[in-house]
Amino acid sequence: MTLRPVIDPGACALHGDCADIAPDVFDVSGDVAVVIGDAPDDLLREAADACPSGAILLVEAATVDG
């Protein structure tokens, strides 16, 4: 399975843990974290698990990509 991260903007509190773990995937320099890249599923899971707000949802790529 290939996962893609989706940010829940209502839950994101810009803690930045996701960007610390996966800086090529997440940017927290704005009002809400945004997804800027991709990474292996295990790294995405680690970043999602580290989010204290639970703002990172992981969905199957086919759901997002079409």
Side-chain angles (χ1 to χ4, degrees):
M1 176 186 338
T2 300
L3 299 174
R4 296 284 183 264
V6 176
I7 304 294
D8 176 350
C12 180
L14 295 171
H15 291 279
D17 295 14
C18 57
D20 289 342
I21 292 169
D24 294 333
V25 179
F26 301 98
D27 176 45
V28 293
S29 62
D31 293 335
V32 66
V34 293
V35 176
I36 58 170
D38 197 13
D41 290 355
D42 58 338
L43 186 62
L44 295 177
R45 283 189 189 96
E46 183 180 350
D49 289 345
C51 178
S53 300
I56 301 171
L57 308 172
L58 298 177
V59 298
E60 290 186 47
T63 305
V64 177
D65 295 340

